[in-house]
């Protein structure tokens, strides 16, 4: 376990939309201190500095790491930069919390995992949904055994609010890896975490819900087949209209009962042979919980999300994109072998 007499100094790398939520989580975590912000665009770096009390701003990560002697980095840059930045951070001897996906391909994700294994530092992919109350509630119920053996998971995350005007690098498949990697990976990771099983196949279909000219499918249907026999049906969109629409539904069917969880603010239910019981409502700050989990891991605790988890999620996202392209199920093991 690492022992620190002072808060860990952390750089936020990349200052786009999601970086503000990570910075707020750092400010809320007493074991961490924001040491500076990094962005290749000097204007954005300066704006982020002003928004965070005038912390040092940099346009070069190597310079920022050297000058601040940062203990760790939170990386929020475009997806196609993740693998290279992760390796750079590992070689600098710093810990890393990195936005999902860990990389846009399996080879890049594996390079990142290997670099942190060699450096002995903490690598935690930011699969933030694992840290929200709804996800923890489902996980806790499944671990309790109340539902028995899981047969079916259905997870829908639908909405249009997050990309209302359809612009930015995430619409470029070469930069994002495609929508299955950029946002679909949340669902693929969650259903794997919930079942605790090995994903064998991914079959996916995509649709351009909002505009045919988009370079990505903004609406996805992804079906995961697990080694233990369970099936997960994942549905996600960022193109629903009205753009203000947001909806999340969870249903898990097991040999011992049924769990439904329609929304954070509403209590879910578990139904078994003894009747129906309410689950506690929840609405905590997932980003704050995620940052605290990363600090725990840096102090010697087990990472809430491992590099191997991030690598597997990338392989599943790649499998989903390939399945959309070919119309056929894709074996996850085959994708993982490519960069072994």
């Amino acid at each position: 376990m690492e022992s620190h007499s002072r808060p860990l100094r952390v750089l936020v790398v990349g200052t786009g939309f999601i970086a503000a939520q990570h910075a707020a989580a750092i400010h809320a975590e007493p074991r961490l201190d924001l040491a500076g912000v990094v962005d290749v665009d000097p204007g954005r770096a300066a704006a982020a500095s002003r928004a965070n009390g005038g912390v040092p701003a940099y346009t070069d990560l190597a310079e920022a790491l050297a000058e601040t002697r940062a203990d760790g980095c939170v990386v929020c840059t475009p997806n196609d930069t993740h693998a290279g930045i992760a390796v750079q951070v590992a070689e600098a001897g710093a810990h890393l919390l990195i936005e999902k996906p860990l990389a846009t391909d399996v080879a890049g994700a594996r390079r990142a995992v290997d670099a942190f294994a060699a450096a002995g530092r903490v690598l935690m992919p930011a699969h933030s949904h694992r840290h929200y109350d709804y996800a923890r509630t489902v996980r806790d119920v499944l671990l309790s055994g109340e539902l028995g053996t899981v047969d079916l998971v259905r997870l829908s995350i639908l909405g249009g609010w997050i990309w209302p005007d359809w612009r930015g690098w995430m619409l470029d498949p070469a930069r994002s890896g495609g929508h299955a990697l950029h946002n679909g990976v949340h669902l693929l990771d969650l259903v794997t975490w919930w079942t605790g099983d090995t994903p064998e196949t991914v079959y996916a279909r995509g649709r351009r819900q909002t505009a045919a000219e988009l370079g990505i499918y903004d609406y996805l249907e992804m079906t995961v087949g697990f080694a233990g026999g369970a099936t997960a049906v994942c549905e996600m969109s960022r193109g629903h209209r009205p753009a203000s629409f947001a909806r999340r539904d969870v249903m898990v069917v097991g040999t011992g009962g049924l769990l439904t969880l329609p929304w954070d603010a509403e209590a879910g239910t578990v139904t078994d042979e003894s009747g129906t019981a309410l689950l506690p409502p929840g609405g905590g700050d997932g980003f704050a919980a995620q940052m605290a989990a990363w600090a725990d891991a840096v102090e010697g605790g087990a990472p809430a999300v491992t590099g191997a988890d991030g690598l597997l999620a990338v392989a599943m996202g790649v499998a989903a994109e390939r399945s959309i392209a070919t119309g056929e199920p894709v074996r996850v093991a085959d994708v993982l072998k490519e960069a072994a």
Side-chain angles (χ1 to χ4, degrees):
M1 174 182 294
E2 291 190 16
S3 177
H4 300 276
S5 58
R6 57 166 177 78
L8 295 168
R9 295 173 57 74
V10 179
L11 291 168
V12 170
V13 185
T15 60
F17 167 76
I18 208 69
Q21 296 189 61
H22 285 293
I26 291 171
H27 292 310
E29 174 52 57
R31 293 171 290 176
L32 305 180
D33 184 35
L34 183 61
V37 294
V38 184
D39 197 297
V40 293
D41 183 305
R44 289 200 300 264
S49 170
R50 290 193 295 273
N52 288 281
V55 296
Y58 301 90
T59 57
D60 182 79
L61 176 57
E63 179 186 358
L65 286 164
E67 288 196 3
T68 64
R69 298 180 182 274
D71 304 289
C73 293
V74 176
V75 168
C76 314
T77 56
N79 300 344
D80 62 329
T81 69
H82 284 182
I85 290 176
V87 171
Q88 184 179 1
V89 171
E91 291 176 347
H95 304 285
L96 178 61
L97 175 66
I98 186 166
E99 263 298 326
K100 53 72 201 164
L102 178 54
T104 53
D105 56 31
V106 172
R110 201 180 295 281
R111 284 201 308 275
V113 171
D114 290 346
F116 275 88
R121 303 282 91 179
V122 171
L123 166 62
M124 193 168 120
H127 286 286
S128 57
H129 280 244
R130 286 200 193 190
H131 304 276
Y132 280 93
D133 290 343
Y134 89 95
R136 292 178 174 181
T137 296
V138 174
R139 171 80 167 171
D140 289 345
V141 170
L142 292 176
L143 286 177
S144 75
E146 187 173 359
L147 293 186
T149 302
V150 175
D151 292 322
L152 173 68
V153 178
R154 193 183 71 197
L155 170 61
S156 298
I157 300 179
L158 307 175
W161 62 271
I162 198 167
W163 293 348
D165 53 0
W166 295 103
R167 59 185 172 82
W169 59 264
M170 66 285 294
L171 299 183
D172 179 356
R175 304 216 69 190
S176 70
H179 206 184
L181 274 163
H182 187 64
N183 281 129
V185 75
H186 274 310
L187 291 76
L188 297 170
D189 175 69
L190 267 188
V191 297
T192 302
W193 184 55
W194 284 341
T195 62
D197 204 345
T198 301
E200 287 194 329
T201 59
V202 178
Y203 173 62
R205 297 191 300 177
R207 191 164 74 224
R208 292 179 172 86
Q209 179 88 4
T210 300
E213 68 272 20
L214 286 175
I216 65 166
Y217 298 100
D218 58 86
Y219 179 91
L220 303 174
E221 300 167 5
M222 303 175 292
T223 301
V224 182
F226 288 95
T231 298
V233 179
C234 304
E235 179 189 26
M236 75 88 52
S237 76
R238 285 291 177 259
H240 261 83
R241 290 295 179 266
S244 58
F245 180 71
R247 180 74 180 178
R248 181 174 60 231
D249 287 308
V250 180
M251 182 180 75
V252 182
V253 180
T255 55
L258 168 70
L259 178 153
T260 66
L261 194 66
W263 192 249
D264 274 356
E266 302 172 8
T269 62
V270 170
T271 302
D272 58 20
E273 295 301 330
S274 63
T276 299
L278 288 175
L279 293 167
D285 184 342
F287 275 77
Q290 177 175 255
M291 197 61 70
W294 183 55
D296 289 343
V298 171
E299 290 183 337
V305 185
T306 67
D309 295 333
L311 170 61
L312 179 59
V314 168
M316 296 176 75
V318 170
E321 290 289 339
R322 290 184 184 175
S323 179
I324 291 171
T326 63
E328 300 291 336
V330 175
R331 288 178 52 81
V332 177
D334 291 342
V335 178
L336 283 167
K337 286 178 184 175
E338 294 174 0

